[in-house]
Amino acid sequence: MTGEHQTLALLLFSVFVAITLGITTWVSRNRRGSAEEFYAGGRLFSPMENGFAIAGDYMSAASFLGVTGLIALFGYDGLLYVVGFLVAWLVVLFLVAELVRNCGRFTLADVVAARMRERPVRIAAGTSSVTVSVLYLVAQMVGAGSLVALLLGGTSDAARAWTVIGVGALMVIYVSLGGMRATTWIQIVKAVLLLGGTIALTALVLMRFHGDLNRLLLTAAERSGHGAAFLAPGLKYGGDWTARFDFISLGLALVLGTAGLPHILSRFYTVPTARAARRSVVWAVGLIGGFYLMTIVLGFGAAAILGPDAVRGSNAAGNTAVPLLALDLGGGAGSTGGTVLFAIVAAVAFATILAVVAGITLASSASVAHDLYASLRRRGGKPRSEVAVARIAAVGVGAVAIALGLLARDLNVAFLVGLAFAVAASANLPVLLYSLFWRGFTTRGAVWAVYGGLVPAVVLVVLSPVVSGSPDSLFPGLDLQYFPLQNPGLVSIPLGFLAGWLGTVTSAEVPDEVKHAETEVRSLTGAGAA
Amino acid sequence: MGAAAADVYLEVQRSAAFQEVRRRYRKFVVPASVAFFAWYVGYVVTATTVPELMARPVAGAVNVAMVAGLGQFLSTFLLTWAYARHARLRRDRAALEVRWDTQELTRGMSGSGS
């Protein structure tokens, strides 16, 4: 990876930053500064626009680079991992999107608080939402730093640190100045770029094999050195029973967590009706499904064209499989085509990270301002405008993310994405489903459901091999390991549901029938929707 | 919202029109959710616990695992399409009518424009 690639990649990336900053200024030129405008972009996006934005929010650099690398190195087990990311959208579509659009205004807590005593429920749901967002955000920030090191060869510590700071500063600017409207357009631009790049690479891979997928798979299996085993499960998530249970745990977290991700939920408030929310999910399923199908082709393509040794030689986790593949497909190192394709892939990967972090920052600033600040501020104090608080919160979240990103920049934080999904599935999904569908659900049940999922998920990770007790841990010198799995979902998700049920049956509070009726009627018909 | 306006929701909830909307929604969503969740968990558990079964060849390079994995993609696309179609044809119009009726009633009760 020589100077030429770097210059072109940096140039393309600067163009993307310039365009997105342009969007942000254009959008904020005559902003009214209402909460509706800041959190929900005025609620006037079309289903297609929102579908692209959802896809943009969801397709992270981890899927573009990480999943293809996983398939290139471990074959079928990478595909196994990807399936959960798509199937999860059925939970969103069937049980969450329309109903949340109808009952809520800006956040997850809105839906729950409508039926319950507002203060404790908002504090609980706000806390877990911010936790999920920060976990996800730190993973992306550290990823951005490593990406620069990988793609541009700037392996120096300073280059990575400045990348983390730069990404953090840009996301704060997008969010605090442009709010949801700018963030949405950035997602749309990014989704189009990412899909365009993926389609081009996939077409080149298929052309290389004259459209013969069978030969592509056979070549991949042969070059991998594993033979037919490369096309069957077991190379990564096989082995001992701990590894197998770990994958089942991760799979559950992926499928149930998506519907509890705050930055995904907030996307449904940007369209005018529940029907539009449904149609945006249909768009998103098409786009995301198509994208993952193409990453599977790219992964096996990388194994067949480059071979796993070349992939592993550049980066042990396989994160450089796609850029290396682009270089080869364009004509090899030193050729113009290779240089251009490589630069495009690098720029698209940066754009992806920037857009994803902007979406998460916006959602967490909404949780801080709309849920936590509104519930915790001193009574009788002069109320500030909520949007002003949200803008400040975006700066605060950005600062925290930069600080954690810098602290963790040398650690292997790949587990954080799985953890964010596990917390979302354990703390956010149970309370959301119970509020929407269970007549007898009470305030205590809601509070217990959130903390009963959040606390076990976090504690189990602290006690797991990712933190201590093994050579790959964050703190290899320490030994606090009492829980064998890396992902807590298998235990913490049932605990979240159990705690919600237990809190409800033990509380003396009589469930408010009128409020339940209101939630049910509003959720299914859209009466009185914001 | 006043107490009277809140009673509107109880009344609507008990109405036949609303219960029909709810019944149609649940009749699709409950079996479909159970089906895709069981199919996904079955897939993941089979892949991790009996990989030998998944490795059986079907045709050429394609084995059971490939068919099952692509089957997950296909079933997700199909269920998405079926849900959207069911909602559009069987639920949207009825739900909209209940919505207007409810909003008429709340407006009448509270006397204000909200």
Side-chain angles (χ1 to χ4, degrees):
Chain A
M1 291 169 214
T2 53
E4 246 178 293
H5 305 131
Q6 290 189 26
T7 327
L8 193 58
L10 280 176
L11 188 73
L12 286 175
F13 183 60
S14 313
V15 171
F16 178 78
V17 171
I19 291 174
T20 50
L21 286 176
I23 290 174
T24 310
T25 355
W26 172 254
V27 156
S28 54
R29 70 201 183 282
N30 51 5
R31 59 164 194 264
R32 282 162 314 190
S34 71
E36 214 89 15
E37 177 65 35
F38 185 80
Y39 297 133
R43 303 197 200 281
L44 284 172
F45 284 97
S46 76
M48 187 179 81
E49 288 162 353
N50 195 34
F52 271 89
I54 292 173
D57 243 330
Y58 197 62
M59 300 180 297
S60 63
S63 5
F64 183 49
L65 303 177
V67 166
T68 22
L70 206 59
I71 297 179
L73 295 181
F74 301 103
Y76 189 84
D77 274 358
L79 196 161
L80 189 62
Y81 178 61
V82 144
V83 165
F85 282 106
L86 180 69
V87 172
W89 284 92
L90 289 177
V91 183
V92 179
L93 178 66
F94 290 177
L95 303 173
V96 173
E98 290 173 55
L99 312 190
V100 163
R101 173 62 191 84
N102 275 334
C103 303
R105 290 179 64 218
F106 306 122
T107 61
L108 161 82
D110 286 341
V111 179
V112 186
R115 277 185 66 186
M116 309 295 168
R117 273 194 297 122
E118 197 166 343
R119 199 162 175 270
V121 167
R122 269 200 196 281
I123 293 172
T127 308
S128 74
S129 295
V130 172
T131 310
V132 173
S133 298
V134 168
L135 290 172
Y136 209 98
L137 205 49
V138 172
Q140 302 290 332
M141 304 284 279
V142 176
S146 326
L147 195 67
V148 170
L150 284 176
L151 297 181
L152 302 182
T155 32
S156 76
D157 244 11
R160 287 165 68 175
W162 282 109
T163 310
V164 171
I165 295 171
V167 166
L170 277 171
M171 79 191 185
V172 168
I173 292 173
Y174 295 148
V175 170
S176 57
L177 295 182
M180 182 53 110
R181 204 181 286 264
T183 308
T184 305
W185 281 112
I186 291 168
Q187 305 290 10
I188 295 172
V189 171
K190 165 258 169 116
V192 171
L193 288 176
L194 180 57
L195 285 166
T198 318
I199 290 172
L201 288 180
T202 309
L204 288 172
V205 168
L206 291 178
M207 272 159 63
R208 181 72 70 94
F209 288 89
H210 306 288
D212 187 349
L213 282 171
N214 195 47
R215 206 156 66 81
L216 167 65
L217 289 174
L218 288 175
T219 316
E222 190 191 320
R223 284 204 71 173
S224 72
H226 295 288
F230 192 67
L231 303 177
L235 286 182
K236 183 170 171 70
Y237 306 119
D240 58 354
W241 281 97
T242 319
R244 298 179 189 200
F245 276 114
D246 223 340
F247 183 75
I248 295 175
S249 188
L250 178 62
L252 275 182
L254 294 181
V255 158
L256 299 174
T258 302
L261 291 177
H263 63 287
I264 296 296
L265 291 174
S266 67
R267 292 240 53 93
F268 301 125
Y269 298 122
T270 64
V271 290
T273 60
R275 189 155 175 257
R278 179 204 311 148
R279 287 172 57 204
S280 30
V281 179
V282 173
W283 270 100
V285 167
L287 295 171
I288 293 168
F291 171 76
Y292 283 133
L293 283 174
M294 291 190 286
T295 60
I296 294 172
V297 175
L298 292 183
F300 283 116
I305 293 171
L306 306 167
D309 291 337
V311 173
R312 198 176 277 118
S314 167
N315 172 252
N319 283 330
T320 41
V322 182
L324 289 177
L325 183 66
L327 199 60
D328 191 285
L329 288 170
S335 68
T336 318
T339 310
V340 171
L341 266 187
F342 180 91
I344 290 177
V345 165
V348 163
F350 280 127
T352 291
I353 287 195
L354 263 187
V356 169
V357 293
I360 306 168
T361 308
L362 180 66
S364 42
S365 76
S367 291
V368 170
H370 186 65
D371 299 330
L372 294 179
Y373 175 80
S375 306
L376 290 174
R377 72 183 169 80
R378 274 179 295 119
R379 301 270 155 87
K382 188 165 169 273
R384 280 164 179 271
S385 133
E386 195 178 299
V387 175
V389 176
R391 288 184 211 277
I392 298 167
V395 178
V397 169
V400 170
I402 291 174
L404 289 174
L406 288 177
L407 279 176
R409 72 179 185 278
D410 294 324
L411 304 174
N412 179 7
V413 292
F415 75 94
L416 279 180
V417 172
L419 177 61
F421 275 86
V423 173
S426 319
N428 289 354
L429 187 70
V431 75
L432 187 58
L433 292 186
Y434 280 146
S435 305
L436 288 170
F437 297 107
W438 187 10
R439 180 193 298 264
F441 197 43
T442 64
T443 303
R444 181 194 273 188
V447 172
W448 284 26
V450 173
Y451 295 123
L454 177 64
V455 174
V458 174
V459 169
L460 287 178
V461 166
V462 172
L463 299 178
S464 81
V466 298
V467 170
S468 69
S470 100
D472 306 325
S473 306
L474 293 181
F475 308 103
L478 236 65
D479 191 4
L480 295 169
Q481 192 204 322
Y482 294 101
F483 182 69
L485 305 182
Q486 304 198 358
N487 191 294
L490 195 59
V491 176
S492 64
I493 299 170
L495 280 181
F497 280 102
L498 185 71
W501 172 80
L502 207 64
T504 301
V505 295
T506 58
S507 71
E509 181 187 346
V510 181
D512 191 331
E513 243 185 88
V514 176
K515 281 188 173 171
H516 170 255
E518 186 178 339
T519 295
E520 195 174 83
V521 170
R522 289 183 54 177
S523 69
L524 284 172
T525 67
Chain B
M1 194 174 296
D7 287 338
V8 167
Y9 284 106
L10 264 184
E11 194 188 316
V12 173
Q13 192 191 31
R14 287 176 191 142
S15 71
F18 174 75
Q19 299 208 345
E20 180 62 20
V21 171
R22 191 176 63 185
R23 195 185 63 80
R24 286 182 187 177
Y25 170 74
R26 289 188 179 165
K27 222 175 132 189
F28 183 95
V29 159
V30 173
S33 301
V34 171
F36 87 75
F37 193 67
W39 162 223
Y40 175 75
V41 172
Y43 166 70
V44 167
V45 170
T46 315
T48 43
T49 54
V50 267
E52 316 83 69
L53 177 76
M54 297 290 256
R56 276 194 199 169
V58 174
V62 177
N63 54 19
V64 175
M66 285 287 166
V67 174
L70 295 179
Q72 291 282 344
F73 276 83
L74 192 66
S75 62
T76 305
F77 291 140
L78 279 178
L79 279 172
T80 302
W81 171 78
Y83 174 83
R85 182 187 149 85
H86 177 269
R88 191 178 72 239
L89 298 179
R90 308 268 300 145
R91 195 151 55 79
D92 277 353
R93 185 181 296 262
L96 199 60
E97 271 164 24
V98 175
R99 175 181 184 168
W100 294 140
D101 291 348
T102 313
Q103 286 176 251
E104 277 302 301
L105 286 170
T106 39
R107 196 163 298 146
M109 290 287 184
S110 60
S112 75
S114 62

